[in-house]
Structure formats: C-alpha cells, structure tokens
mmCIF file of all heavy atoms in Angstrom:
data_model
loop_
_atom_site.group_PDB
_atom_site.id
_atom_site.type_symbol
_atom_site.label_atom_id
_atom_site.label_comp_id
_atom_site.label_asym_id
_atom_site.label_seq_id
_atom_site.Cartn_x
_atom_site.Cartn_y
_atom_site.Cartn_z
ATOM 1 N N GLU V 21 144.245 151.004 11.725
ATOM 2 C CA GLU V 21 143.858 152.442 11.577
ATOM 3 C C GLU V 21 142.396 152.748 11.523
ATOM 4 O O GLU V 21 141.872 153.478 12.325
ATOM 5 C CB GLU V 21 144.563 153.112 10.361
ATOM 6 C CG GLU V 21 146.129 152.992 10.293
ATOM 7 C CD GLU V 21 146.692 153.829 11.384
ATOM 8 O OE1 GLU V 21 146.228 154.979 11.642
ATOM 9 O OE2 GLU V 21 147.704 153.331 11.967
ATOM 10 N N LYS V 22 141.695 152.027 10.595
ATOM 11 C CA LYS V 22 140.312 152.332 10.460
ATOM 12 C C LYS V 22 139.504 151.596 11.561
ATOM 13 O O LYS V 22 140.053 150.689 12.185
ATOM 14 C CB LYS V 22 139.714 151.834 9.054
ATOM 15 C CG LYS V 22 139.893 150.419 8.872
ATOM 16 C CD LYS V 22 139.323 150.054 7.451
ATOM 17 C CE LYS V 22 139.503 148.557 7.171
ATOM 18 N NZ LYS V 22 139.222 148.246 5.820
ATOM 19 N N GLU V 23 138.242 151.987 11.716
ATOM 20 C CA GLU V 23 137.444 151.345 12.798
ATOM 21 C C GLU V 23 137.397 149.895 12.661
ATOM 22 O O GLU V 23 137.180 149.369 11.498
ATOM 23 C CB GLU V 23 136.005 152.035 12.817
ATOM 24 C CG GLU V 23 135.153 151.508 13.872
ATOM 25 C CD GLU V 23 133.835 152.294 13.977
ATOM 26 O OE1 GLU V 23 133.359 152.713 12.897
ATOM 27 O OE2 GLU V 23 133.229 152.394 15.030
ATOM 28 N N PHE V 24 137.514 149.083 13.671
ATOM 29 C CA PHE V 24 137.471 147.698 13.585
ATOM 30 C C PHE V 24 136.074 147.166 13.387
ATOM 31 O O PHE V 24 135.182 147.525 14.201
ATOM 32 C CB PHE V 24 138.089 147.027 14.887
ATOM 33 C CG PHE V 24 138.166 145.548 14.817
ATOM 34 C CD1 PHE V 24 139.234 144.937 14.123
ATOM 35 C CD2 PHE V 24 137.280 144.744 15.411
ATOM 36 C CE1 PHE V 24 139.251 143.589 14.050
ATOM 37 C CE2 PHE V 24 137.276 143.384 15.302
ATOM 38 C CZ PHE V 24 138.370 142.827 14.638
ATOM 39 N N ASP V 25 135.826 146.342 12.396
ATOM 40 C CA ASP V 25 134.573 145.689 12.038
ATOM 41 C C ASP V 25 134.667 144.243 12.116
ATOM 42 O O ASP V 25 135.378 143.682 11.261
ATOM 43 C CB ASP V 25 134.068 146.212 10.710
ATOM 44 C CG ASP V 25 132.729 145.728 10.274
ATOM 45 O OD1 ASP V 25 132.462 144.501 10.543
ATOM 46 O OD2 ASP V 25 131.994 146.423 9.637
ATOM 47 N N PHE V 26 134.137 143.556 13.105
ATOM 48 C CA PHE V 26 134.416 142.147 13.318
ATOM 49 C C PHE V 26 133.902 141.325 12.087
ATOM 50 O O PHE V 26 134.675 140.496 11.554
ATOM 51 C CB PHE V 26 133.696 141.623 14.527
ATOM 52 C CG PHE V 26 133.847 140.139 14.824
ATOM 53 C CD1 PHE V 26 135.050 139.568 15.100
ATOM 54 C CD2 PHE V 26 132.706 139.330 14.697
ATOM 55 C CE1 PHE V 26 135.190 138.238 15.295
ATOM 56 C CE2 PHE V 26 132.901 137.921 15.000
ATOM 57 C CZ PHE V 26 134.105 137.362 15.227
ATOM 58 N N ALA V 27 132.654 141.550 11.599
ATOM 59 C CA ALA V 27 132.151 140.747 10.456
ATOM 60 C C ALA V 27 132.984 141.027 9.208
ATOM 61 O O ALA V 27 133.293 140.094 8.504
ATOM 62 C CB ALA V 27 130.670 141.144 10.292
ATOM 63 N N ALA V 28 133.285 142.239 8.917
ATOM 64 C CA ALA V 28 134.016 142.555 7.773
ATOM 65 C C ALA V 28 135.462 141.975 7.800
ATOM 66 O O ALA V 28 135.996 141.556 6.771
ATOM 67 C CB ALA V 28 134.058 144.056 7.566
ATOM 68 N N THR V 29 136.031 141.950 9.020
ATOM 69 C CA THR V 29 137.468 141.440 9.186
ATOM 70 C C THR V 29 137.530 139.957 9.138
ATOM 71 O O THR V 29 138.463 139.356 8.551
ATOM 72 C CB THR V 29 138.003 142.046 10.431
ATOM 73 O OG1 THR V 29 137.937 143.473 10.412
ATOM 74 C CG2 THR V 29 139.486 141.590 10.669
ATOM 75 N N TYR V 30 136.622 139.316 9.852
ATOM 76 C CA TYR V 30 136.726 137.853 9.991
ATOM 77 C C TYR V 30 135.843 137.009 9.068
ATOM 78 O O TYR V 30 135.748 135.801 9.224
ATOM 79 C CB TYR V 30 136.410 137.504 11.476
ATOM 80 C CG TYR V 30 137.639 137.612 12.339
ATOM 81 C CD1 TYR V 30 137.939 138.862 12.864
ATOM 82 C CD2 TYR V 30 138.324 136.534 12.695
ATOM 83 C CE1 TYR V 30 139.079 139.022 13.720
ATOM 84 C CE2 TYR V 30 139.492 136.665 13.570
ATOM 85 C CZ TYR V 30 139.806 137.911 14.061
ATOM 86 O OH TYR V 30 140.930 138.038 14.826
ATOM 87 N N SER V 31 135.166 137.622 8.094
ATOM 88 C CA SER V 31 134.335 136.865 7.183
ATOM 89 C C SER V 31 134.529 137.466 5.803
ATOM 90 O O SER V 31 135.074 138.538 5.592
ATOM 91 C CB SER V 31 132.927 136.804 7.565
ATOM 92 O OG SER V 31 132.203 137.999 7.368
ATOM 93 N N TYR V 32 133.864 136.765 4.827
ATOM 94 C CA TYR V 32 133.983 137.240 3.490
ATOM 95 C C TYR V 32 132.658 138.020 3.033
ATOM 96 O O TYR V 32 132.568 138.500 2.003
ATOM 97 C CB TYR V 32 134.000 136.015 2.523
ATOM 98 C CG TYR V 32 132.869 135.029 2.637
ATOM 99 C CD1 TYR V 32 131.747 135.224 1.883
ATOM 100 C CD2 TYR V 32 132.987 134.000 3.627
ATOM 101 C CE1 TYR V 32 130.684 134.341 2.111
ATOM 102 C CE2 TYR V 32 131.876 133.072 3.746
ATOM 103 C CZ TYR V 32 130.781 133.272 3.000
ATOM 104 O OH TYR V 32 129.693 132.426 3.165
ATOM 105 N N VAL V 33 131.773 138.170 4.061
ATOM 106 C CA VAL V 33 130.482 138.849 3.757
ATOM 107 C C VAL V 33 130.642 140.416 3.768
ATOM 108 O O VAL V 33 131.320 140.928 4.641
ATOM 109 C CB VAL V 33 129.467 138.450 4.790
ATOM 110 C CG1 VAL V 33 128.098 139.173 4.654
ATOM 111 C CG2 VAL V 33 129.156 136.994 4.735
ATOM 112 N N ASN V 34 130.059 140.970 2.800
ATOM 113 C CA ASN V 34 130.056 142.490 2.708
ATOM 114 C C ASN V 34 129.033 142.927 3.755
ATOM 115 O O ASN V 34 127.808 142.774 3.500
ATOM 116 C CB ASN V 34 129.722 142.913 1.227
ATOM 117 C CG ASN V 34 129.564 144.395 1.173
ATOM 118 O OD1 ASN V 34 129.529 145.131 2.097
ATOM 119 N ND2 ASN V 34 129.621 144.919 -0.083
ATOM 120 N N THR V 35 129.466 143.531 4.865
ATOM 121 C CA THR V 35 128.554 143.904 5.865
ATOM 122 C C THR V 35 127.503 144.976 5.460
ATOM 123 O O THR V 35 126.491 145.028 6.092
ATOM 124 C CB THR V 35 129.354 144.354 7.126
ATOM 125 O OG1 THR V 35 130.132 145.462 6.765
ATOM 126 C CG2 THR V 35 130.158 143.219 7.691
ATOM 127 N N ALA V 36 127.875 145.726 4.441
ATOM 128 C CA ALA V 36 126.871 146.741 3.997
ATOM 129 C C ALA V 36 125.719 146.075 3.364
ATOM 130 O O ALA V 36 124.632 146.704 3.238
ATOM 131 C CB ALA V 36 127.553 147.630 3.104
ATOM 132 N N ARG V 37 125.777 144.856 2.929
ATOM 133 C CA ARG V 37 124.701 144.134 2.250
ATOM 134 C C ARG V 37 123.986 143.160 3.072
ATOM 135 O O ARG V 37 123.067 142.535 2.581
ATOM 136 C CB ARG V 37 125.260 143.442 0.999
ATOM 137 C CG ARG V 37 125.838 144.400 -0.084
ATOM 138 C CD ARG V 37 126.283 143.734 -1.317
ATOM 139 N NE ARG V 37 125.238 143.041 -1.857
ATOM 140 C CZ ARG V 37 125.290 141.803 -2.407
ATOM 141 N NH1 ARG V 37 126.373 141.116 -2.387
ATOM 142 N NH2 ARG V 37 124.170 141.206 -2.945
ATOM 143 N N MET V 38 124.338 143.024 4.370
ATOM 144 C CA MET V 38 123.833 141.992 5.193
ATOM 145 C C MET V 38 122.268 142.055 5.283
ATOM 146 O O MET V 38 121.642 140.989 5.376
ATOM 147 C CB MET V 38 124.412 142.055 6.648
ATOM 148 C CG MET V 38 125.773 141.484 6.708
ATOM 149 S SD MET V 38 126.319 141.296 8.408
ATOM 150 C CE MET V 38 125.875 142.848 9.232
ATOM 151 N N THR V 39 121.713 143.183 5.339
ATOM 152 C CA THR V 39 120.288 143.315 5.564
ATOM 153 C C THR V 39 119.572 143.572 4.261
ATOM 154 O O THR V 39 118.317 143.840 4.283
ATOM 155 C CB THR V 39 119.958 144.414 6.618
ATOM 156 O OG1 THR V 39 120.521 145.646 6.211
ATOM 157 C CG2 THR V 39 120.450 143.978 8.017
ATOM 158 N N THR V 40 120.276 143.536 3.116
ATOM 159 C CA THR V 40 119.574 143.842 1.830
ATOM 160 C C THR V 40 119.689 142.684 0.871
ATOM 161 O O THR V 40 118.819 142.598 -0.015
ATOM 162 C CB THR V 40 120.138 145.088 1.209
ATOM 163 O OG1 THR V 40 121.552 144.899 1.018
ATOM 164 C CG2 THR V 40 119.879 146.271 2.043
ATOM 165 N N SER V 41 120.618 141.740 1.006
ATOM 166 C CA SER V 41 120.731 140.671 0.051
ATOM 167 C C SER V 41 119.852 139.536 0.523
ATOM 168 O O SER V 41 119.563 139.373 1.733
ATOM 169 C CB SER V 41 122.208 140.185 -0.007
ATOM 170 O OG SER V 41 122.568 139.688 1.261
ATOM 171 N N ARG V 42 119.294 138.840 -0.435
ATOM 172 C CA ARG V 42 118.397 137.669 -0.120
ATOM 173 C C ARG V 42 119.229 136.578 0.442
ATOM 174 O O ARG V 42 120.132 136.016 -0.165
ATOM 175 C CB ARG V 42 117.712 137.242 -1.363
ATOM 176 C CG ARG V 42 116.710 136.183 -1.069
ATOM 177 C CD ARG V 42 115.511 136.224 -2.031
ATOM 178 N NE ARG V 42 114.624 135.060 -1.895
ATOM 179 C CZ ARG V 42 113.695 134.929 -1.024
ATOM 180 N NH1 ARG V 42 113.619 135.864 -0.026
ATOM 181 N NH2 ARG V 42 112.986 133.842 -0.989
ATOM 182 N N GLY V 43 118.953 136.211 1.635
ATOM 183 C CA GLY V 43 119.555 135.145 2.430
ATOM 184 C C GLY V 43 118.850 134.926 3.673
ATOM 185 O O GLY V 43 117.983 135.750 4.104
ATOM 186 N N ARG V 44 119.216 133.902 4.448
ATOM 187 C CA ARG V 44 118.546 133.638 5.678
ATOM 188 C C ARG V 44 118.588 134.730 6.676
ATOM 189 O O ARG V 44 117.670 135.146 7.369
ATOM 190 C CB ARG V 44 119.075 132.323 6.308
ATOM 191 C CG ARG V 44 118.696 131.090 5.564
ATOM 192 C CD ARG V 44 119.307 129.850 6.101
ATOM 193 N NE ARG V 44 118.562 129.551 7.313
ATOM 194 C CZ ARG V 44 119.142 128.945 8.400
ATOM 195 N NH1 ARG V 44 120.366 128.710 8.390
ATOM 196 N NH2 ARG V 44 118.422 128.617 9.490
ATOM 197 N N TYR V 45 119.823 135.337 6.821
ATOM 198 C CA TYR V 45 119.965 136.459 7.785
ATOM 199 C C TYR V 45 119.059 137.658 7.388
ATOM 200 O O TYR V 45 118.334 138.165 8.217
ATOM 201 C CB TYR V 45 121.449 136.845 7.880
ATOM 202 C CG TYR V 45 121.570 137.992 8.827
ATOM 203 C CD1 TYR V 45 121.717 137.855 10.150
ATOM 204 C CD2 TYR V 45 121.610 139.302 8.368
ATOM 205 C CE1 TYR V 45 121.909 138.840 11.091
ATOM 206 C CE2 TYR V 45 121.819 140.424 9.261
ATOM 207 C CZ TYR V 45 121.911 140.082 10.605
ATOM 208 O OH TYR V 45 122.005 141.162 11.527
ATOM 209 N N CYS V 46 119.126 138.010 6.172
ATOM 210 C CA CYS V 46 118.371 139.147 5.660
ATOM 211 C C CYS V 46 116.820 138.912 5.782
ATOM 212 O O CYS V 46 116.097 139.752 6.254
ATOM 213 C CB CYS V 46 118.722 139.446 4.220
ATOM 214 S SG CYS V 46 117.811 140.799 3.522
ATOM 215 N N GLU V 47 116.438 137.663 5.390
ATOM 216 C CA GLU V 47 115.016 137.399 5.488
ATOM 217 C C GLU V 47 114.544 137.358 6.919
ATOM 218 O O GLU V 47 113.508 137.820 7.221
ATOM 219 C CB GLU V 47 114.745 136.073 4.710
ATOM 220 C CG GLU V 47 114.970 136.149 3.195
ATOM 221 C CD GLU V 47 114.197 137.197 2.544
ATOM 222 O OE1 GLU V 47 112.998 137.245 2.737
ATOM 223 O OE2 GLU V 47 114.789 137.997 1.810
ATOM 224 N N GLY V 48 115.292 136.771 7.778
ATOM 225 C CA GLY V 48 114.907 136.797 9.228
ATOM 226 C C GLY V 48 114.848 138.204 9.752
ATOM 227 O O GLY V 48 113.963 138.534 10.531
ATOM 228 N N TYR V 49 115.851 139.032 9.438
ATOM 229 C CA TYR V 49 115.845 140.425 9.769
ATOM 230 C C TYR V 49 114.557 141.190 9.336
ATOM 231 O O TYR V 49 113.909 141.929 10.138
ATOM 232 C CB TYR V 49 117.108 141.102 9.166
ATOM 233 C CG TYR V 49 117.236 142.564 9.443
ATOM 234 C CD1 TYR V 49 117.827 142.987 10.613
ATOM 235 C CD2 TYR V 49 116.803 143.549 8.515
ATOM 236 C CE1 TYR V 49 118.021 144.370 10.871
ATOM 237 C CE2 TYR V 49 116.984 144.867 8.736
ATOM 238 C CZ TYR V 49 117.513 145.300 9.909
ATOM 239 O OH TYR V 49 117.738 146.675 10.145
ATOM 240 N N LYS V 50 114.169 140.930 8.108
ATOM 241 C CA LYS V 50 112.947 141.501 7.588
ATOM 242 C C LYS V 50 111.708 141.005 8.305
ATOM 243 O O LYS V 50 110.812 141.828 8.656
ATOM 244 C CB LYS V 50 112.735 141.164 6.030
ATOM 245 C CG LYS V 50 113.736 141.954 5.157
ATOM 246 C CD LYS V 50 113.478 141.433 3.659
ATOM 247 C CE LYS V 50 114.488 141.957 2.716
ATOM 248 N NZ LYS V 50 114.315 141.394 1.451
ATOM 249 N N LEU V 51 111.579 139.676 8.551
ATOM 250 C CA LEU V 51 110.433 139.186 9.245
ATOM 251 C C LEU V 51 110.337 139.707 10.691
ATOM 252 O O LEU V 51 109.231 140.015 11.131
ATOM 253 C CB LEU V 51 110.433 137.617 9.193
ATOM 254 C CG LEU V 51 110.102 137.086 7.835
ATOM 255 C CD1 LEU V 51 110.467 135.518 7.825
ATOM 256 C CD2 LEU V 51 108.691 137.183 7.483
ATOM 257 N N LEU V 52 111.471 139.751 11.335
ATOM 258 C CA LEU V 52 111.460 140.223 12.712
ATOM 259 C C LEU V 52 111.068 141.708 12.814
ATOM 260 O O LEU V 52 110.285 142.151 13.615
ATOM 261 C CB LEU V 52 112.766 140.017 13.392
ATOM 262 C CG LEU V 52 113.143 138.553 13.775
ATOM 263 C CD1 LEU V 52 114.662 138.479 14.147
ATOM 264 C CD2 LEU V 52 112.249 138.095 14.809
ATOM 265 N N ASN V 53 111.584 142.527 11.914
ATOM 266 C CA ASN V 53 111.281 143.891 11.784
ATOM 267 C C ASN V 53 109.880 144.177 11.447
ATOM 268 O O ASN V 53 109.332 145.158 11.889
ATOM 269 C CB ASN V 53 112.260 144.675 10.899
ATOM 270 C CG ASN V 53 113.567 145.048 11.691
ATOM 271 O OD1 ASN V 53 113.544 145.914 12.620
ATOM 272 N ND2 ASN V 53 114.595 144.337 11.452
ATOM 273 N N LYS V 54 109.243 143.335 10.639
ATOM 274 C CA LYS V 54 107.886 143.455 10.239
ATOM 275 C C LYS V 54 106.973 143.435 11.479
ATOM 276 O O LYS V 54 105.939 144.128 11.518
ATOM 277 C CB LYS V 54 107.545 142.323 9.226
ATOM 278 C CG LYS V 54 106.091 142.319 8.831
ATOM 279 C CD LYS V 54 105.868 141.174 7.859
ATOM 280 C CE LYS V 54 104.343 140.879 7.587
ATOM 281 N NZ LYS V 54 104.165 139.700 6.754
ATOM 282 N N HIS V 55 107.319 142.620 12.467
ATOM 283 C CA HIS V 55 106.565 142.448 13.703
ATOM 284 C C HIS V 55 107.183 143.165 14.929
ATOM 285 O O HIS V 55 106.678 142.927 16.070
ATOM 286 C CB HIS V 55 106.430 140.964 13.942
ATOM 287 C CG HIS V 55 105.721 140.224 12.866
ATOM 288 N ND1 HIS V 55 104.388 140.311 12.644
ATOM 289 C CD2 HIS V 55 106.188 139.401 11.932
ATOM 290 C CE1 HIS V 55 104.052 139.513 11.625
ATOM 291 N NE2 HIS V 55 105.173 138.994 11.161
ATOM 292 N N LYS V 56 108.153 143.982 14.709
ATOM 293 C CA LYS V 56 108.905 144.591 15.822
ATOM 294 C C LYS V 56 107.887 145.339 16.720
ATOM 295 O O LYS V 56 107.004 146.034 16.327
ATOM 296 C CB LYS V 56 109.849 145.630 15.212
ATOM 297 C CG LYS V 56 110.823 146.221 16.166
ATOM 298 C CD LYS V 56 111.973 146.957 15.401
ATOM 299 C CE LYS V 56 112.460 148.043 16.088
ATOM 300 N NZ LYS V 56 113.511 148.764 15.360
ATOM 301 N N GLY V 57 108.062 145.126 18.032
ATOM 302 C CA GLY V 57 107.193 145.695 18.983
ATOM 303 C C GLY V 57 105.904 144.863 19.293
ATOM 304 O O GLY V 57 105.186 145.206 20.242
ATOM 305 N N SER V 58 105.601 143.899 18.501
ATOM 306 C CA SER V 58 104.428 143.079 18.721
ATOM 307 C C SER V 58 104.745 141.593 18.469
ATOM 308 O O SER V 58 103.796 140.912 18.138
ATOM 309 C CB SER V 58 103.275 143.529 17.816
ATOM 310 O OG SER V 58 103.649 143.372 16.473
ATOM 311 N N ILE V 59 105.892 141.163 18.757
ATOM 312 C CA ILE V 59 106.277 139.722 18.533
ATOM 313 C C ILE V 59 105.767 138.908 19.683
ATOM 314 O O ILE V 59 106.038 139.177 20.884
ATOM 315 C CB ILE V 59 107.790 139.557 18.372
ATOM 316 C CG1 ILE V 59 108.269 140.277 17.133
ATOM 317 C CG2 ILE V 59 108.136 138.078 18.312
ATOM 318 C CD1 ILE V 59 109.720 140.271 16.947
ATOM 319 N N THR V 60 104.910 137.966 19.371
ATOM 320 C CA THR V 60 104.388 136.970 20.339
ATOM 321 C C THR V 60 105.059 135.655 20.060
ATOM 322 O O THR V 60 105.740 135.446 19.033
ATOM 323 C CB THR V 60 102.884 136.836 20.111
ATOM 324 O OG1 THR V 60 102.573 136.319 18.929
ATOM 325 C CG2 THR V 60 102.147 138.112 20.321
ATOM 326 N N SER V 61 104.832 134.661 21.015
ATOM 327 C CA SER V 61 105.425 133.355 20.774
ATOM 328 C C SER V 61 104.850 132.674 19.467
ATOM 329 O O SER V 61 105.576 132.082 18.724
ATOM 330 C CB SER V 61 105.198 132.451 21.942
ATOM 331 O OG SER V 61 103.829 132.349 22.301
#
C-alpha cells in the first residue's frame, strides 16, 4: 500500500537517519557535499 522504499524494506537501517547519523555513509555524504560543484581528483 505505502510507497515502496528499497533501503527501508530490505535493510535494518532507518533511512530517515542515513545522512545524519555518524557512520561511513553519512561522513562520506558530508565530505562530498562540502565540496559539491568543485570536486577535483
């Protein structure tokens, strides 16, 4: 019935917290966004 959410359905991770909890995914997200638009090699 509700909208299908792959991450929420197939994993134990709370998808609402993916970009706010301290972890590799969140930290990578923060570092990439810090340089968004100007990422060099």
Side-chain angles (χ1 to χ4, degrees):
E21 300 293 321
K22 65 181 178 187
E23 184 175 30
F24 184 80
D25 181 322
F26 178 67
T29 304
Y30 276 82
S31 75
Y32 60 89
V33 175
N34 178 344
T35 57
R37 297 184 59 223
M38 285 191 312
T39 57
T40 58
S41 63
R42 183 148 170 80
R44 290 178 74 213
Y45 179 83
C46 177
E47 295 303 309
Y49 178 84
K50 287 178 189 174
L51 287 168
L52 288 169
N53 275 289
K54 176 181 172 184
H55 299 285
K56 191 169 149 180
S58 62
I59 296 175
T60 63
S61 54

